[in-house]
Amino acid sequence: MLNTTKDRFELQPLREFYQAGHTRTYAFRKKQLEKLKQAVLDHEGEINKALHADLKKNQEEAWATETGLLLMEINIMLRNLKKWMSPKSVSTNLLNLPSTSKLHKDPLGVVLIISPWNYPFQLALSPLAGAIAGGNCAVIKPSEMASATSTLINHIISKTFDSNYIKVIEGDGAELVPVMMDEFRFDHIFYTGSLNVGRSIYRHAAEHLIPVTLE
């Protein structure tokens, strides 16, 4: 019988992939952002169909609120990634003079991205782009209320990325998310959605001292 999150979802390989250092280099992050961008462009027609099936969004609305925003963010990340990754010189306190000080920006680890139903593509993959740029591994939980988009996201991600690096888990969020958070220690959780669900996620994350970004 399979009775743990590790057995059912195989999340531990993401931790091992991250700890092996694969995600830390500029070259790796840049390549993954380029792969995400190309995957969105390659599947744009399918994305439009899924968004229309779930939310009756037309092609123009899908571009304005979903794919266009995502592609714009990826382009900004690609232009600025090297600068963002570079250590930043900061002032040194009196105790440590005459040494110099620099601020280094390190990845967090394995992050969980939970997306809502109303912008189901953009609010799953825009945070993913940020996680990639930051050098993290990611688990995406798309909204089950936008089932066509959820299925397509799973297809695109599994086709584009190593499952030990980025993984999509579909299903009832109210059932799956608490189990994942109990049995696997994420390093950050990103959720955009309703106030009540946000409170529940924050309360659950606090029990495990997991930092959270909410809308």
Side-chain angles (χ1 to χ4, degrees):
M1 174 181 285
L2 302 180
N3 57 14
T4 69
T5 300
K6 181 179 177 181
D7 290 332
R8 285 177 289 179
F9 306 129
E10 297 183 351
L11 300 182
Q12 189 58 33
L14 281 82
R15 174 74 63 206
E16 294 167 0
F17 189 92
Y18 171 75
Q19 290 177 340
H22 299 300
T23 66
R24 288 184 171 268
T25 68
Y26 168 75
F28 179 87
R29 300 185 204 187
K30 180 174 182 285
K31 182 178 179 181
Q32 306 314 307
L33 285 171
E34 289 171 343
K35 286 170 64 176
L36 179 61
K37 176 181 177 179
Q38 192 60 51
V40 174
L41 293 172
D42 290 344
H43 293 85
E44 188 173 359
E46 297 167 72
I47 295 165
N48 291 340
K49 289 179 182 178
L51 291 169
H52 186 268
D54 286 331
L55 297 164
K56 299 296 184 263
K57 291 190 178 186
N58 59 37
Q59 181 175 329
E60 290 73 21
E61 185 179 6
W63 171 261
T65 65
E66 306 266 4
T67 52
L69 282 175
L70 171 60
L71 291 170
M72 179 186 69
E73 288 197 12
I74 294 174
N75 286 335
I76 291 172
M77 291 175 191
L78 286 169
R79 286 198 302 269
N80 292 282
L81 182 60
K82 182 169 285 189
K83 180 176 69 175
W84 292 344
M85 290 180 64
S86 299
K88 179 182 178 181
S89 295
V90 294
S91 59
T92 301
N93 59 38
L94 289 174
L95 181 64
N96 291 296
L97 288 174
S99 65
T100 58
S101 301
K102 289 187 177 182
L103 180 65
H104 292 261
K105 302 158 191 175
D106 291 327
L108 292 172
V110 182
V111 303
L112 173 61
I113 299 165
I114 308 166
S115 67
W117 62 269
N118 54 343
Y119 297 98
F121 192 82
Q122 182 244 129
L123 287 177
L125 298 196
S126 286
L128 174 64
I132 290 172
N136 303 287
C137 293
V139 175
I140 305 171
K141 170 57 189 71
S143 174
E144 67 276 13
M145 297 175 66
S147 58
T149 306
S150 176
T151 299
L152 182 59
I153 288 172
N154 197 353
H155 170 72
I156 292 172
I157 295 301
S158 62
K159 179 180 176 182
T160 306
F161 299 105
D162 188 325
S163 62
N164 294 336
Y165 170 47
I166 300 172
K167 191 175 186 68
V168 176
I169 294 177
E170 296 187 88
D172 184 349
E175 175 187 347
L176 295 178
V177 171
V179 175
M180 284 193 288
M181 292 170 64
D182 281 340
E183 300 189 16
F184 183 86
R185 207 283 180 184
F186 291 98
D187 299 291
H188 198 90
I189 296 172
F190 185 99
Y191 171 71
T192 302
S194 71
L195 184 61
N196 287 337
V197 175
R199 281 177 176 154
S200 176
I201 290 172
Y202 210 115
R203 188 180 304 114
H204 214 88
E207 295 176 1
H208 304 280
L209 300 179
I210 303 172
V212 179
T213 298
L214 298 175
E215 182 179 19

